[in-house]
Amino acid sequence: MDPASVGTTARIASSVARPIIARLFVKEGPGAGLVDKPVRVSRLVSWGEKRSLNQLDMWKIARELVKVAIEANPHEPPIASDEREALADALAATLSALGSLEMDDIQAVRLGQEELARRLKGERPDATRDLSADATTLYDSLVDLSCLHILHFFTQRSTFVAHALVAQTRMLDEALRTLDALADRIPRPGSADEEFETRYLAHMDRKYGKLNIFGLDLSDPNRARWPLDTAYLNLELASQHAGSSPSANRQRVEEALSGCTRAMLRGMAGSGKTTLLQWIAVTAAQGTFPDGLAWLRGRVPFMLPLRALDQQPGLPRPEQFLGAAGSILHALQPEHWADRVLASGRGIVLIDGVDEVSESERPGLRRWLHDLVDLYPKTFFLVTSRPSAVDTHWLAELDFAEFNLLPMTRHDVDRFVDRWHEAVLTTLDEAEERQAVERCRDALNTTLRQKYDLYRLATNPLMCALICALHRDRLTHLPERRMELYAAALTMLLVRRDKEREIAAPQGLVPTEEAQVQLLQRIAYWLIRNGRSEAAQTTAVRIIREKLPAMPHLAPPDRAEEVFRYLLLRSGLLREPATGMVDFIHRTFQDYLGAKAAVEAEDLDLLAESGRDDQWDDVIRLAVGHARDGERAYLLRKLIELGDLTTDPRLRRRYHLLAAAALEHATTLDPAVRAAVNLRASALIPPATAVDAEELATAGDIVLDFLPGPERISSEQARATVMTIARIGGEAALDQLARFKRVADRDVRQEVALSWPYFDARAFSEEILDGLPMDDLTLHLTDPEQVTCLESLDRIPSLFLRGQMLTTELVNVLAPAKVHSLTIAPSSAVSIVLPGLAPLSGLRRLVIESCDVITDLTALGETSVVELFLHRLPDGVDLSFLTPASNLRSLTLSSPHGVPLPPTPLAHVTSLTMEGVLTGTELPDFAAAFPSLASLTLRLACQSYQSAVDLSLLRNVLRAQIDVTLVDGGKVHGLEDLPTERVVVRHEGRRRQEGRTWRHLRRFRT
């Protein structure tokens, strides 16, 4: 068939086709009016329940279209006569898909003719299966023709122009708000500020835009730096809410920080705190924050590592931020530029390493933060620290939200291992070498599955990178203890690195591994004793010069400068963070080497007495591993003695817990000393709080022997004990956890269920979930691997899904599990598509936390839910999707934009709870939208404190108990029309005063 013939056919048929296409849609009634919401395409079509067209009518319309197309060119029919019926069937099936399109008329017009045709054909992909090539060509032409007339029909509807204008106004309004916010954050074009910011942001991108991936390539260290957007792994945070389990608050970083103006982030050494700050700085410089952090776009980052600030006289003022952080652009910034940025709310202040500041100086640091927050309340602050450095809620008075950076899950470890090896692959060209790396990756994944002690070390990003590097370097033979891993890493860096690169030492220098370690130990120990994380290079040279007379085989003292340069450039352990300064690539290596130096110097008393300072925690633990038997016993006895003698319960707990945690590194130990340490550890048991649990878990497996069962402890202690077991992990911990799965207390069993992410998904499912009474529990899904375990469960009454977990595949898995209650907490950073929920026939309660990131809520109408909770509804939401939900009785809605009401009455809803913004001074007519209400609870924010709100329409809500709270509202009237026995009205006001929230509450019955 000639394509030109088809085009002619379509053009001739067009005038005849228009009235035929119009019959596909309902006619507008006289009451259509100019409403403020677009109408869905599915509501405009003429077929379905109680409408004018049935399936036979659809086929007749399609047949007429085929007929006029063929009759337009009778001398050369485009298809054979025996294909007409088949073509009509295909066309009817495609046009009927209009009724299932999840869009409104304005969205359809915005799509255009070609895209609408593609969508329709996508809904019926098998329609042309039995058609010939010519018939398929004509089918495509007729679908395109129909879509052209369909869109023309939409634009001629009386309400379309009004709909389009409203939609356009909303889009423009949203664009203007966004542009206004960005305009406030952008310096005046052509100004000195704009020119400097352009240079500064580019500098930040270059400075922090790459990560050092440990052990990436021994033959070329320059290739060990990898683009941040490729290497960065989005880890999980746990927010600290009073009374709730940290395990129940797991969120990815972008989701947790969404809308948070100030945050305190705690994490262990190597957990990724600095990398996270680096990612925020670079993303701000590039202006590429994801949607969940869109409010940070257009801001200027200030990176303030406290390890560097500690070298300055006093903490810096804003104009000193760049200089204190070692930025080469410090002297070029316009006068008072930093103050203008921060005062306008365009700043991001990233303060890294509270634990790097000595304990005596932390009160001054807190006062400095207080001054900054007070002076720049609109600036975003993020502060990091090791967990033990400061008390919980250290910055709570300044409205800092607190988060713990969680260990990597098995899924995270798998992703990290894959990314590390992918980075290695990019450095290799030979096929044989690439295959060897792929085999190495697969072998490591298997090893981490089989050896839990090694996997537990790998849940820390630094240690995971170290394990990857050593696994490849040692041809898949790995040590399994932390001390052995560090020792192997030093050998790899100090010896193998230069051998692989075939680099010779400078003439006359003989840098053996032992000699390098001795010098690095001295530098590390100097830093630790002086409470520093970096030193002047002149200081490092002096330390080396003082040591060289005892090492004549290495070099004479007058060559100390050369020896230092060799260590800086060749060891792989030192780096130059700023001109003239030196530090270790990670604090962990500083602590390991410093601990060895302290033991060799016989400073055991100093080590023990320093146990009161959290900066020495890892040093003391590692020193126990470095020490010989007698030294080890002495050091542990000293820790016990200091704990016993102090009158401060908190300090006693600290000394005894440190001794218990150090046992992990005590390969051999006097049994009497071990017993003494265990005795003190047992006194710390059972834990009573989540903080106790986290601290106790640092002692490792030995704690498991002392943890009690659930029989003789309180519910709070049992919950904390379960948290401790989960944080320790492993097979033995799984056995201990099983003792708590049948206790009567619901909160304890809930904590058991929340422990799932800390264990192998399949093992936990088999050992814990199988037999765990779950009728009153909520099962949290956070990892795709958990989904594969659900099929083995007979019943899951309540399920909580975070992020993008809900898919059609998951719905099909859950269908036989009789899920009664489902909570969906989608990430605010990514829009999601809600799959059909109809297969969940047992679902009675559904909660959606963030409806504004769901592209379409129509699937909710297919559910059998009785209770529905929809939070953070988008602006202008059309609630007509609730009309088919005939089982719905209780509805809770919240929206920051207004008070959403359905366009047609929902007569089946008997209980309504609504939270929103009252845009006028009169309550909507809830009786018209919900005629069967027996309970109405409203919490409405008024636009003005002077608003006089009219409540008179509540009189139409017959027989319902009514509870109204007006936030920031003034007088009310219409009370005289309301029945006093059924209506309660409250006033609640808020205003900011001296950094605190002031509230007044007035309640009265009508």
Side-chain angles (χ1 to χ4, degrees):
M1 178 180 179
D2 184 2
S5 174
V6 175
T8 303
T9 299
R11 284 195 299 273
I12 295 174
S14 182
S15 60
V16 184
R18 185 176 299 118
I20 299 175
I21 298 295
R23 285 156 51 194
L24 294 172
F25 300 97
V26 294
K27 292 183 171 61
E28 290 183 294
L34 299 180
V35 296
D36 67 345
K37 293 185 177 70
V39 179
R40 289 196 179 278
V41 171
S42 57
R43 295 182 60 200
L44 297 173
V45 297
S46 297
W47 57 94
E49 186 180 357
K50 299 180 181 179
R51 298 191 186 177
S52 56
L53 293 183
N54 56 31
Q55 190 172 0
L56 178 60
D57 296 324
M58 283 290 300
W59 180 80
K60 289 179 178 178
I61 289 175
R63 193 168 184 271
E64 286 186 57
L65 287 172
V66 172
K67 180 181 178 184
V68 298
I70 293 174
E71 290 179 351
N73 192 355
H75 303 292
E76 187 180 350
I79 60 172
S81 58
D82 59 353
E83 280 201 287
R84 295 183 183 185
E85 301 298 322
L87 177 57
D89 290 341
L91 186 59
T94 302
L95 293 179
S96 67
L98 279 167
S100 60
L101 285 185
E102 304 294 346
M103 66 179 72
D104 56 48
D105 49 354
I106 294 176
Q107 291 170 332
V109 172
R110 192 180 299 144
L111 280 180
Q113 166 200 353
E114 293 181 359
E115 180 62 18
L116 179 60
R118 190 187 68 79
R119 293 277 185 95
L120 285 176
K121 288 187 279 190
E123 292 286 329
R124 301 291 187 270
D126 298 331
T128 60
R129 180 178 52 193
D130 299 325
L131 298 183
S132 66
D134 285 348
T136 300
T137 302
L138 182 56
Y139 160 86
D140 290 336
S141 178
L142 288 173
V143 173
D144 289 344
L145 173 72
S146 300
C147 288
L148 181 64
H149 289 292
I150 288 167
L151 298 183
H152 181 68
F153 168 81
F154 289 159
T155 61
Q156 288 189 317
R157 295 179 63 248
S158 62
T159 60
F160 179 82
V161 174
H163 296 161
L165 287 174
V166 170
Q168 186 180 38
T169 301
R170 285 177 178 160
M171 291 172 61
L172 287 172
D173 184 54
E174 181 63 27
L176 285 172
R177 284 200 298 269
T178 304
L179 288 173
D180 286 344
L182 288 174
D184 289 339
R185 298 179 181 177
I186 299 175
R188 189 174 66 257
S191 66
D193 282 8
E194 182 194 37
E195 181 181 350
F196 176 76
E197 280 183 26
T198 301
R199 293 186 64 190
Y200 174 70
L201 293 176
H203 164 67
M204 292 292 284
D205 187 18
R206 289 191 299 271
K207 183 174 182 178
Y208 296 109
K210 289 190 176 182
L211 280 178
N212 282 312
I213 301 182
F214 185 84
L216 177 63
D217 195 308
L218 298 179
S219 63
D220 186 356
N222 293 322
R223 300 176 81 173
R225 287 178 59 77
W226 197 246
L228 183 66
D229 56 356
T230 301
Y232 172 68
L233 188 68
N234 188 2
L235 300 177
E236 287 184 315
L237 306 182
S239 56
Q240 294 187 350
H241 298 314
S244 65
S245 168
S247 301
N249 299 319
R250 303 177 72 100
Q251 293 177 295
R252 293 294 171 183
V253 168
E254 295 144 27
E255 185 180 2
L257 295 181
S258 178
C260 179
T261 56
R262 298 166 199 154
M264 175 84 175
L265 177 62
R266 301 169 187 267
M268 302 298 290
S271 59
K273 301 185 298 295
T274 301
T275 302
L276 171 58
L277 297 195
Q278 188 174 332
W279 176 79
I280 291 176
V282 170
T283 309
Q286 296 174 344
T288 55
F289 279 112
D291 290 344
L293 298 176
W295 56 281
L296 289 177
R297 292 172 186 164
R299 298 206 184 198
V300 178
F302 295 90
M303 192 81 161
L304 299 176
L306 289 174
R307 68 182 68 88
L309 271 56
D310 195 38
Q311 315 304 318
Q312 312 296 326
L315 292 164
R317 299 184 300 274
E319 65 271 17
Q320 300 171 321
F321 279 1
L322 300 193
S327 173
I328 59 176
L329 296 178
H330 166 59
L332 302 179
Q333 62 181 315
E335 187 176 10
H336 305 309
W337 165 76
D339 174 71
R340 287 192 292 275
V341 168
L342 297 172
S344 65
R346 295 196 298 119
I348 297 177
V349 178
L350 306 169
I351 300 172
D352 189 24
V354 170
D355 54 284
E356 306 279 4
V357 177
S358 64
E359 191 168 1
S360 62
E361 295 175 343
R362 287 173 197 164
L365 171 62
R366 191 177 181 283
R367 288 192 297 271
W368 174 68
L369 277 169
H370 193 290
D371 291 341
L372 287 175
V373 169
D374 185 61
L375 194 58
Y376 306 114
K378 294 187 289 185
T379 291
F380 174 67
F381 290 88
L382 181 57
V383 181
T384 72
S385 173
R386 291 195 193 186
S388 60
V390 291
D391 293 334
T392 306
H393 309 309
W394 188 61
L395 296 175
E397 189 176 327
L398 303 180
D399 293 331
F400 273 73
E402 295 209 359
F403 300 94
N404 289 326
L405 191 55
L406 296 174
M408 293 193 292
T409 64
R410 283 193 177 271
H411 181 63
D412 291 331
V413 171
D414 290 344
R415 287 194 300 155
F416 190 104
V417 170
D418 288 343
R419 287 192 181 188
W420 192 94
H421 286 86
E422 284 170 10
V424 174
L425 288 172
T426 62
T427 68
L428 303 175
D429 298 320
E430 297 292 332
E432 187 175 340
E433 290 181 323
R434 294 175 63 84
Q435 290 172 3
V437 170
E438 290 170 352
R439 288 194 298 270
C440 184
R441 176 197 60 205
D442 296 340
L444 180 56
N445 281 325
T446 300
T447 298
L448 290 175
R449 293 279 171 182
Q450 295 173 346
K451 298 183 178 181
Y452 183 80
D453 288 345
L454 192 63
Y455 158 74
R456 187 176 159 205
L457 291 176
T459 58
N460 174 300
L462 173 71
M463 292 302 298
C464 194
L466 180 61
I467 288 169
C468 289
L470 287 172
H471 185 260
R472 182 182 177 224
D473 179 68
R474 295 163 64 100
L475 302 177
T476 74
H477 297 291
L478 274 174
E480 297 181 21
R481 296 179 64 250
R482 187 184 299 271
M483 297 292 294
E484 295 167 353
L485 283 170
Y486 290 151
L490 289 178
T491 298
M492 180 179 71
L493 290 170
L494 297 177
V495 180
R496 286 290 307 278
R497 192 166 181 263
D498 274 359
K499 285 184 178 179
E500 292 286 344
R501 295 163 60 201
E502 299 180 351
I503 295 177
Q507 179 109 19
L509 295 185
V510 188
T512 63
E513 178 183 356
E514 182 182 0
Q516 293 181 72
V517 168
Q518 286 289 325
L519 295 176
L520 291 167
Q521 285 178 194
R522 301 266 299 186
I523 296 172
Y525 195 33
W526 184 92
L527 290 169
I528 292 168
R529 282 188 289 108
N530 288 275
R532 303 288 184 87
S533 290
E534 60 183 46
Q537 292 185 9
T538 54
T539 299
V541 171
R542 175 180 58 77
I543 293 169
I544 292 171
R545 184 180 297 115
E546 292 172 354
K547 181 66 176 176
L548 284 179
M551 307 172 70
H553 59 283
L554 175 60
D558 60 359
R559 298 189 68 181
E561 178 76 34
E562 289 181 73
V563 174
F564 168 73
R565 300 307 301 178
Y566 178 86
L567 291 174
L568 179 64
L569 298 176
R570 307 282 179 82
S571 73
L573 284 168
L574 297 179
R575 63 181 179 181
E576 188 174 27
T579 304
M581 305 300 292
V582 63
D583 70 355
F584 283 84
I585 59 170
H586 199 277
R587 176 69 180 267
T588 296
F589 290 108
Q590 175 184 308
D591 290 345
Y592 176 84
L593 290 164
K596 194 170 190 295
V599 171
E600 292 179 359
E602 299 183 350
D603 286 342
L604 302 180
D605 289 328
L606 174 63
L607 282 169
E609 290 164 2
S610 299
R612 66 173 57 242
D613 186 345
D614 59 86
Q615 292 193 66
W616 286 73
D617 281 2
D618 284 348
V619 180
I620 294 170
R621 293 177 192 175
L622 293 167
V624 169
H626 285 300
R628 291 168 294 191
D629 287 353
E631 295 166 332
R632 181 178 297 140
Y634 179 86
L635 179 54
L636 290 172
R637 282 198 195 98
K638 191 68 177 177
L639 288 171
I640 291 171
E641 178 186 333
L642 290 170
D644 291 343
L645 292 175
T646 182
T647 58
D648 183 347
R650 184 173 175 272
L651 194 56
R652 180 186 305 115
R653 177 184 178 84
R654 175 169 183 74
Y655 277 122
H656 291 168
L657 189 59
L658 189 55
L663 284 185
E664 172 190 4
H665 302 305
T667 51
T668 59
L669 184 62
D670 182 343
V673 177
R674 187 181 297 275
V677 173
N678 289 342
L679 179 64
R680 271 66 174 188
S682 65
L684 306 175
I685 293 169
T689 67
V691 174
D692 292 346
E694 296 284 352
E695 291 181 354
L696 196 57
T698 62
D701 291 352
I702 67 159
V703 172
L704 294 174
D705 295 332
F706 304 104
L707 290 174
E711 298 82 12
R712 292 184 296 276
I713 56 177
S714 69
S715 296
E716 292 76 13
Q717 292 171 330
R719 282 187 65 197
T721 299
V722 168
M723 292 180 200
T724 303
I725 294 170
R727 302 317 185 265
I728 292 172
E731 292 183 11
L734 204 59
D735 292 339
Q736 290 272 49
L737 198 63
R739 301 164 64 190
F740 291 82
K741 73 178 185 178
R742 291 191 178 276
V743 299
D745 189 280
R746 181 259 175 202
D747 291 340
V748 176
R749 284 185 287 107
Q750 181 64 67
E751 195 63 49
V752 171
L754 289 169
S755 303
W756 199 357
Y758 296 97
F759 296 90
D760 175 77
R762 180 65 61 183
F764 188 92
S765 174
E766 294 171 354
E767 299 294 328
I768 304 299
L769 296 183
D770 185 13
L772 175 68
M774 286 196 291
D775 283 353
D776 55 347
L777 303 185
T778 298
L779 194 61
H780 288 234
L781 285 191
T782 59
D783 193 314
E785 193 173 358
Q786 294 171 329
V787 175
T788 63
C789 305
L790 296 179
E791 293 177 337
S792 63
L793 301 179
D794 296 329
R795 179 169 165 74
I796 310 172
S798 182
L799 193 64
F800 184 101
L801 303 177
R802 189 172 293 285
Q804 319 307 310
M805 296 290 295
L806 189 62
T807 62
T808 301
E809 292 74 18
L810 177 56
V811 169
N812 293 332
V813 170
L814 294 174
K818 301 177 182 178
V819 176
H820 177 81
S821 174
L822 176 63
T823 299
I824 304 169
S827 168
S828 58
V830 183
S831 295
I832 68 170
V833 177
L834 196 65
L837 301 176
L840 303 180
S841 57
L843 191 63
R844 294 296 176 265
R845 183 177 185 272
L846 177 62
V847 181
I848 301 182
E849 298 289 353
S850 302
C851 295
D852 54 350
V853 298
I854 297 178
T855 56
D856 195 335
L857 297 168
T858 307
L860 298 180
E862 307 169 2
T863 68
S864 56
V865 296
V866 177
E867 297 177 81
L868 180 62
F869 302 76
L870 302 178
H871 300 292
R872 225 166 74 186
L873 285 161
D875 190 14
V877 63
D878 183 353
L879 296 178
S880 58
F881 61 83
L882 295 176
T883 303
S886 57
N887 290 337
L888 185 61
R889 297 295 179 269
S890 177
L891 179 63
T892 298
L893 305 173
S894 71
S895 169
H897 307 289
V899 180
L901 294 179
T904 55
L906 298 179
H908 40 279
V909 173
T910 59
S911 175
L912 175 67
T913 300
M914 183 170 291
E915 182 171 353
V917 177
L918 189 61
T919 55
T921 59
E922 182 181 65
L923 289 188
D925 189 356
F926 291 100
F930 303 95
S932 304
L933 284 181
S935 173
L936 174 63
T937 302
L938 304 174
R939 179 180 172 82
L940 305 175
C942 302
Q943 291 185 311
S944 169
Y945 195 75
Q946 286 75 38
S947 298
V949 181
D950 183 4
L951 303 179
S952 58
L953 283 180
L954 290 178
R955 66 178 180 271
N956 297 332
V957 185
L958 303 176
R959 299 181 302 280
Q961 292 294 322
I962 302 173
D963 191 311
V964 182
T965 300
L966 298 175
V967 182
D968 291 339
K971 297 180 179 179
V972 295
H973 57 89
L975 294 173
E976 62 279 358
D977 297 329
L978 305 179
T980 59
E981 70 279 3
R982 290 193 292 104
V983 181
V984 175
V985 180
R986 298 179 178 88
H987 278 177
E988 185 177 309
R990 293 194 299 263
R991 69 168 181 258
R992 299 294 295 176
Q993 184 178 38
E994 297 178 356
R996 298 176 180 273
T997 300
W998 172 87
R999 291 173 178 259
H1000 78 272
L1001 180 65
R1002 181 157 56 95
R1003 171 177 174 169
F1004 54 90
R1005 289 191 177 272
T1006 60

